[in-house]
Each structure stands twice: as C-alpha cells, then as structure tokens.
Amino acid sequence: MSRGSFRLRCKGRAEEMQEVLSPKGTIFLFGGRQLGKSSLLRQAVEVFQKADPDRHIAVYIDLLKADIGHAEPPEGIWRVLLAELKRRGVIGANVSDRAAGVDVIADAVQQWIEAGPGRRVLVLADEADAFLTADAQAVYTGGGQSTFRTVKRLQRLMETTNRSFKVVFAGLHQVQRFNHLTNVVTAHGGPGILVGPLKPQAAVGLVEEPLAAVGLTFETPDLVWHILGVTNYQANLVQIFCDHLVAYMQQRAMPTSGCHAPITWDDVQAVANLERVRELIAERLRYTINLEDRYRVLTLLVALRSLEHGYAHASRPSELLEAAHEIWQEGFPLNSERQLTIFLDEMVGLGLLIRVPGEERAYAMRSPNVVNMLGTQNELQSELNDTEFDLPYDYNPRAARRSIGSPGGVQRMSPLTEGQFGDMLGHPTRTTLVPCTRALGDDHVERGLRLYGGGYGLDIIGVAPGDSLTDAITANSRRKSSRVLFVDLRGRDADEVREAAERLVKHTGGTPPDSDAAPGASRRYAVVLCSPDAAGEAVETGAGHVLPERWTVDSVRAWPESPFGSPQERRALMDSTGGWPGLVETAMHNVRSGMRQKEVLQGLRERLETPDAATAHLRAAGLTSADVSLLTSWAQFYSDEEYADGKAVMTPGDLAAAFLDKSGDDSLEAAEHLLKRLDGLAVLDPDKHGGVRLDPVTFRALKTIEPAQ
Ligand SMILES: Nc1ncnc2c1ncn2[C@@H]1O[C@H](COP(=O)(O)OP(=O)(O)O)[C@@H](O)[C@H]1O
Ligand SMILES: [Mg+2]
C-alpha cells in the first residue's frame, strides 16, 4: 500500500472545530508545523457548508501561496476574497476587480448577508504568519499611524454583520507573541486556540481505524499506546508510523484463512526500529523544534538534563537561561528570564515539554521517546557545541522571491527577487536587461514579472521572439495605462540586443523624472530577456541590468516555510543543488512530499552524475562545447576532496597556463575573458580563501563527462 493511501478525515478536533465554526469562537489558530492546522481548516470548510449548503459559504485561502504578507501587501487578502466571493455568487460579477476598494467589497459582503436570514460567510486564512507580521507594521496614514489595518478592517466587517462574516487565521506558534496582536485579540473573542498533539482518545482512533479498514487488528490494546508514545501523539507522525506498519504487515503472505494475524509486540517493535521510520520521525519532530533556534537550544538542554539525571528531571527557567546563555549569548541575553518562560510555555503547547506540577516553575521532556529520537547524550552535546544558531529570519526583499505557481506539481519560485523587480521600476531609463540562462530559470521570468506587475496595476505586454519590436513600440505609444513591454530576445546576438535596448530606452525613458510626478500619470517600462553572452554591449545604452542569481545558504532563508531550516541543512542543500533554482525547487518539493532530506539530496546528486544529466545541466547553464571541453580537462585536475577544501580556485594565470597557449598576454587575456563570461553565467562561487571556483553542481557535471581528447 502506498504512503498516505488512507488519509483520514481530521480526527479528534471537536472543540477546536467548534471554536472555528462558532460565530463567537476564536479567530486565531496556532500550532507548530505539521500538527494539523490546515487539516482542521479544510475540514471546517466541508462541515460548515454541509450544515446549510444554501446559506453558508466557506472560503479557504492559503496566504502563503498567494504571497500575501511577502510580495503582496496584507490588503491583498481583499483581492483574493473578491475573486472567490464573486465565483461563489456572494458578490456580483459586475463589481470590477480593479476598481473595487476595500469598502466596496466589505459592503457587498454585508449586503449579501443581510439579504436573507441565516446567511454566513466563513473565511479560513491559512499560513497567516507573514500576513500578520506585515499587518503588524505601523502604516502611516493621514491621521497618524495605525497597526493591523487589514485585520482591523476585517474585524469591523465581522462586527457589523454580527459575526455572520467571520475570519479565522491559522499560523505558527510565534505569531502569538505580538503584543499588539494580543490587544486586538482580547478585544474580540478570547485568545487563540492552540492546535497541538492529539488528545489520547482521538489519537487511539487515528491508529486503530485506518488499520481496521485494511483488516488489521492489535493483539493487545497497549500496543496502541506504545505507538502513541513513539509518535508523541502527533497526527502526522502517527500516520507515518501506521503507513509503515501496514506495509510491513502486508509484506507477509496472507494466511489461507484470508485474514491477517493480529499485530504483535514484535511487529510494532520491528517497525519502530526500521531505520527509515526512526529517521522520518526524528526529522519531523525536528520541524517543530527547528521552528526557531531558541526552541532548539532549550529542547537540547532539557533533553540532555533528562539523559543525565533521569527522564523526569525538571529544569527551572533560571538554570536553563544560564546554560543557554553560555551556548548562545545573542539568543539568550542574561536578563531575559521572562522571555524564556514564554518560550518554554510555547514549547509546552507544541507538545515538546511538560510543565511539572508544583509551586516552582519547572519543565521536563514530554516523553522519553522524544529524547531518544533526538539523539544520544554525545550527539546532543556536540550539536549544542558545534551548531551556529540563528536568530529568526526577517523579511528581506533582496532575497525574497515570490512563488509563481506549481506547474507539474512542483512549486516554482520567481528567478528574480522582489528587490530586483523594485530595481526595474526604479531604474532611471525604465528599461532593464535580464540576462538569464535556462538553468537560472529564464522560462519563468515573464510569469514572475506578471505576478509582480499585477500587484502594482501594471499591464505586462509580451513581445515574443518573432514579433516586430517596431510594431510593439508603436502600439504601446498609444496606450494609456502604465505597462511593461516584456521583450524576449533569448538567443539573439549582442548587436541585436544592444539595438533593441537603445530603442527601448528612448521609448521608455524619454520623459525626465519630474514630469511624471503627477499621481496617476501612466508610465512605460521595458524588460528585455536575453542570453548572458549577448548582454554586454547594451551597457552603453544606459539600460539597467538585473542578474538572476542562484540560491545561497543565506538567501534560501527567504524561502517561505523551507524545511531546510538550520545552517547545516541549508549548506547541505546548496552543496547538492548548487543553489540552481530547478534543483532547489525539486529538493523542496520532495522533502515536502515526505522524503528525507538526506535521501532527496543523495538522489539529486546521483542523477546529476549520469552523463546525460550532467551534459543537460552544462548546456542549460549556458556553457558552449568549447567551454565544456576546456573546463572538463580543468576539472579533472581536482578531486572532490580538493574541491571541498577550496583548492579548485580559478585564477586567470592558472587557466592560461593550463590550457591556452602557454605564453604571452593573449592567453592571459583569453583566460580573463573566460572567467568574466563564466561569471555572467552565474556558475562561479566565491571561494573560502578568496578567489572564485565553479559551483559544486557544474564542477561535478564536468567531472562526470569524459574529457574530450
Ligand atoms: N486530526 C487529524 N487527523 C488525521 N490526520 C491529521 C490530523 N491532523 C493532522 N493530520 C495529518 O498530519 C499531517 C500534517 O497536517 P497539517 O494539517 O498539514 O498540519 P499543519 O497545517 O499544522 O502544518 C497531514 O498529513 C494530515 O493529514
Ligand atoms: Mg498547514
């Protein structure tokens, strides 16, 4: 049986469900990764609509996917709501998408609700962290500053409809920490609801029912409790365990009676000891712990203490602070004990710790299995000593990229960052070149631009490779709205690109900056997609250049909800993917679909080590056959170890000496030229000792194919 073939309905969340559905119930749901928030919301959609199909409308919005709070401002939620409510007939199709302001939308919702008794609209806004973080920022308005503008406006609609309209936001745990947020929340219907590990009865059902559905039963009931202990009552872990248990039982020959023998202690033990199961559980427990490094340090400390002093050993906040400060001073300043107890209480909510009953505040691990899954005493100690811990990541437009959808099921990200799109609109000539190779994601530049432009009300007008630029410019001169000509000149040579850039600069940048200070004045922009080798000469035209980049250990922190959380994990990701967008996207996708990080990265490397894949990569990266034959011989000089040690530095002198005619300035010049080209293709990484080297994927690809003789 394949993994996940018996995904159950959301189990055992009756109280939480009640809170979500009830008009007066909570509007905030919190909980760690994978504890069941999304499952709860999706089930709420069904339950709510089934209760009264004619008068109940439920809308599920994934704010992260819609990029709201990252690329889109928080108000963006209204646009998504408008589209969805139009589709569902709550708002008339005659309301225009562009013109409808927040008040128009809110009024339309109110009118629909008031037009018939019993009408209700429930909005389930999932992955709301970035949205809330962004909305919490003060916005300067005419009358001063305000925070939570969008949340407050939604709440006003809730109040004016007597909560027949209701929004529920779901997010990770730390959202709870906003002070402002607490004010907003307490004014309206109580604190948020925590979605944590399952309660025992529900958890038992989650183990027994799917197994019963395939004809499996347990020899004794305590086996179920054992499974729950191993999985820490976390629904996602229970599922992983049971999927493997089913597979294990079904591998055995079916007895002639046609019934399976009951599951025994030995069977459960055998599954619990499968390396794959242990690693999956350990990795997923770490999702919660890795929500932020302060959780991680505290978990490791409490776990170590329980290994030293017995599992039930309780630690006081002051002791933990002292130890944590020693390990990570920035993360745990000495005067932060109150903050520390907030973290500890959050960890209780996440199902990692328990608060030990008694007068004094003290905390212990929730279960010995969690400790075992984290590692041995030595492993935990060295993790504490050797890890560089990170403070939580803040939004950074220079690294953040928007998601451009999931063609073929794999989530793709824009090849350009938000900051780079900003640069395009900010450039004085308003014409920008984007030199981009296939490996850097040239096929996705236009889509990223369209999504970005959409947020600013810019029309994007595509000029395909075969179209006449003259016609496009003429037609564009007559248009009234602000718009961007997107000109695809991939594969054209440097002369053509320069000539096009010249004409476009004239077309877009003809007006001095002051003349369009008038608000609402329409503007022309142009973006030229071309190959890196053809971009050089266009510099003289004054057009801007925006260079797509590979992901790095640092920039990949901006990947929303990346499962590669720690610096080590991010480094492993970069080492196997080189940060090449397509490979990073595949890795993210595979880990999200349930594979282990190690497997995923190993799989990618093995695939790239076949000659076909290696050749395909080199071609996609923009290397010519001449480059390849030169560089293959170069790469053979270095072993993988030497590369890892930073010995494979490329200097013009070395390159010249190695391949080009051994003497003379010409060869040095040729080497410098080659390095510059490689830099334009983004296949060079800074080396740790200064200098540059090839990125790891390109390096290995060159080593994979035979050097041409
Ligand atoms: N109450 C539940 N009953 C059954 N399965 C659940 C339950 N809660 C979560 N799961 C399973 O656990 C996994 C993670 O749940 P999800 O709702 O995506 O978590 P979150 O949104 O909190 O990250 C999913 O595979 C889901 O099917
Ligand atoms: Mg979720």
Side-chain angles (χ1 to χ4, degrees):
M1 170 163 299
S2 72
R3 240 185 79 77
S5 50
F6 49 72
R7 287 285 115 105
L8 261 209
R9 310 271 64 191
C10 192
K11 287 217 50 105
R13 298 283 189 200
E15 285 166 42
E16 292 92 338
M17 182 66 79
Q18 194 47 41
E19 284 279 345
V20 170
L21 297 178
S22 147
K24 300 291 172 204
T26 189
I27 68 164
F28 288 102
L29 277 184
F30 300 107
R33 287 207 173 110
Q34 292 266 313
L35 292 181
K37 301 177 299 297
S38 302
S39 309
L40 179 60
L41 293 190
R42 290 192 182 277
Q43 174 108 40
V45 170
E46 279 178 40
V47 175
F48 183 73
Q49 295 191 149
K50 233 196 220 141
D52 193 342
D54 296 329
R55 295 182 297 178
H56 282 186
I57 303 276
V59 176
Y60 174 90
I61 303 177
D62 185 329
L63 293 171
L64 189 68
K65 279 222 177 96
D67 253 345
I68 294 172
H70 277 287
E72 300 290 330
E75 301 90 86
I77 193 175
W78 289 103
R79 209 172 26 75
V80 179
L81 262 182
L82 175 64
E84 196 57 27
L85 292 177
K86 269 169 120 173
R87 205 170 63 76
R88 312 285 289 275
V90 170
I91 298 181
N94 55 337
V95 177
S96 125
D97 289 341
R98 275 281 163 78
V102 170
D103 292 331
V104 173
I105 301 172
D107 288 347
V109 173
Q110 188 172 348
Q111 276 166 23
W112 181 82
I113 286 174
E114 286 170 356
R119 288 188 168 187
R120 290 180 60 193
V121 174
L122 180 62
V123 178
L124 302 152
D126 203 359
E127 312 279 2
D129 302 82
F131 166 84
L132 292 169
T133 310
D135 206 36
Q137 312 293 320
V139 173
Y140 292 87
T141 55
Q145 54 164 290
S146 70
T147 55
F148 287 111
R149 212 157 57 146
T150 301
V151 172
K152 282 180 182 156
R153 185 65 187 89
L154 287 163
Q155 282 182 321
R156 209 161 89 218
L157 180 58
M158 296 193 341
E159 301 320 316
T160 54
T161 58
N162 201 17
R163 290 212 167 207
S164 291
F165 171 85
K166 184 185 170 190
V167 191
V168 178
F169 297 103
L172 296 173
H173 210 70
Q174 59 262 47
V175 167
Q176 217 174 14
R177 261 178 240 148
F178 291 113
N179 279 330
H180 314 288
L181 190 57
T182 333
N183 297 337
V184 179
V185 176
T186 43
H188 304 268
I193 290 285
L194 178 81
V195 179
L198 294 168
K199 295 196 190 70
Q201 213 44 54
V204 169
L206 188 57
V207 176
E208 283 178 342
E209 286 164 25
L211 293 174
V214 290
L216 289 168
T217 52
F218 289 97
E219 198 174 56
T220 56
D222 60 328
L223 292 174
V224 178
W225 298 105
H226 181 61
I227 293 176
L228 293 177
V230 172
T231 54
N232 202 35
Y233 291 80
Q234 286 179 223
N236 60 333
L237 300 186
V238 170
Q239 268 185 350
I240 289 173
F241 195 98
C242 291
D243 282 354
H244 283 87
L245 184 56
V246 169
Y248 178 85
M249 297 302 290
Q250 289 185 337
Q251 258 172 19
R252 304 203 182 157
M254 178 83 90
T256 40
S257 67
C259 297
H260 281 288
I263 301 167
T264 64
W265 171 262
D266 286 342
D267 297 327
V268 171
Q269 217 37 48
V271 173
N273 285 332
L274 289 175
E275 188 184 292
R276 198 182 145 78
V277 169
R278 293 183 63 85
E279 294 197 339
L280 275 170
I281 291 183
E283 198 169 286
R284 260 128 244 258
L285 274 173
R286 289 215 172 236
Y287 280 178
T288 309
I289 294 163
N290 292 353
L291 277 178
E292 87 146 69
D293 270 353
R294 282 177 285 212
Y295 289 159
R296 183 158 164 223
V297 169
L298 291 170
T299 309
L300 293 173
L301 282 172
V302 177
L304 262 178
R305 284 159 173 261
S306 80
L307 286 171
E308 278 160 26
H309 308 292
Y311 144 67
H313 176 83
S315 306
R316 283 176 289 122
S318 57
E319 298 169 325
L320 290 171
L321 179 59
E322 197 176 311
H325 178 76
E326 209 150 284
I327 288 160
W328 185 24
Q329 302 185 359
E330 268 182 294
F332 296 98
L334 275 179
N335 55 1
S336 62
E337 190 171 322
R338 185 179 309 176
Q339 183 58 51
L340 186 87
T341 54
I342 297 180
F343 286 129
L344 293 168
D345 287 335
E346 287 173 355
M347 293 166 68
V348 172
L350 292 170
L352 294 169
L353 301 183
I354 50 163
R355 181 150 168 219
V356 182
E359 270 172 36
E360 221 185 348
R361 238 172 216 285
Y363 299 83
M365 291 308 285
R366 179 177 155 115
S367 111
N369 295 298
V370 174
V371 180
N372 289 335
M373 289 292 178
L374 289 177
T376 65
Q377 193 164 341
N378 280 339
E379 283 164 354
L380 298 189
Q381 192 63 58
S382 50
E383 184 175 348
L384 273 175
N385 296 340
D386 304 341
T387 309
E388 318 150 36
F389 295 103
D390 262 349
L391 285 172
Y393 177 77
D394 275 331
Y395 177 67
N396 169 10
R398 289 280 144 214
R401 307 186 189 193
R402 64 180 59 206
S403 146
I404 57 168
S406 311
V410 179
Q411 187 186 23
R412 304 274 170 210
M413 304 299 270
S414 161
L416 299 177
T417 67
E418 290 298 303
Q420 290 178 318
F421 285 123
D423 291 346
M424 289 178 173
L425 299 191
H427 196 271
T429 66
R430 301 208 195 104
T431 290
T432 303
L433 262 63
V434 182
C436 190
T437 59
R438 178 66 30 95
L440 287 167
D442 63 347
D443 283 337
H444 302 303
V445 171
E446 179 171 359
R447 172 125 182 91
L449 179 66
R450 284 187 185 277
L451 290 172
Y452 182 84
Y456 288 83
L458 287 169
D459 288 326
I460 313 293
I461 296 152
V463 183
D467 295 353
S468 142
L469 187 57
T470 311
D471 292 352
I473 288 179
T474 314
N476 198 40
S477 303
R478 291 197 291 265
R479 289 199 178 86
K480 284 281 167 288
S481 59
S482 287
R483 68 258 170 221
V484 183
L485 280 184
F486 177 79
V487 187
D488 185 350
L489 294 182
R490 283 176 291 177
R492 305 301 184 82
D493 67 21
D495 284 340
E496 277 177 277
V497 171
R498 183 187 27 92
E499 195 201 350
E502 228 162 55
R503 296 175 60 191
L504 288 165
V505 166
K506 227 175 258 152
H507 176 61
T508 58
T511 38
D514 279 351
S515 70
D516 48 308
S522 68
R523 295 182 175 190
R524 301 173 194 154
Y525 299 92
V527 171
V528 179
L529 182 62
C530 62
S531 74
D533 285 338
E537 292 182 25
V539 176
E540 308 154 12
T541 65
H545 273 68
V546 155
L547 306 174
E549 284 168 8
R550 286 178 283 127
W551 292 96
T552 64
V553 173
D554 189 48
S555 72
V556 80
R557 282 156 57 99
W559 190 292
E561 294 285 288
S562 159
F564 295 85
S566 69
Q568 287 89 339
E569 287 168 339
R570 299 198 308 265
R571 216 169 285 135
L573 174 69
M574 290 311 141
D575 194 41
S576 296
T577 62
W580 291 103
L583 299 177
V584 174
E585 286 156 357
T586 305
M588 293 282 182
H589 174 77
N590 290 345
V591 172
R592 289 237 177 99
S593 343
M595 289 170 69
R596 284 163 39 214
Q597 296 190 5
K598 228 167 66 185
E599 286 168 358
V600 168
L601 298 183
Q602 182 66 26
L604 276 178
R605 280 174 89 129
E606 280 166 12
R607 197 166 57 77
L608 284 161
E609 273 163 20
T610 60
D612 283 351
T615 311
H617 166 76
L618 296 171
R619 196 165 303 145
L623 295 169
T624 62
S625 6
D627 297 331
V628 172
S629 63
L630 208 65
L631 293 170
T632 352
S633 351
W634 166 266
Q636 313 308 319
F637 291 147
Y638 299 97
S639 68
D640 289 343
E641 290 70 36
E642 286 169 321
Y643 175 84
D645 281 349
K647 300 220 170 81
V649 190
M650 302 175 102
T651 64
D654 290 351
L655 280 179
F659 315 113
L660 307 160
D661 179 16
K662 304 258 177 211
S663 59
D665 294 345
D666 281 1
S667 59
L668 198 61
E669 210 172 286
E672 272 165 2
H673 182 73
L674 174 64
L675 277 177
K676 198 161 157 234
R677 270 199 52 237
L678 294 179
D679 192 38
L681 299 174
V683 297
L684 298 181
D685 272 340
D687 191 84
K688 54 184 161 190
H689 307 303
V692 293
R693 63 172 180 180
L694 289 166
D695 79 84
V697 167
T698 303
F699 176 77
R700 285 193 295 263
L702 288 166
K703 280 186 71 84
T704 297
I705 57 178
E706 297 287 316
Q709 289 311 311

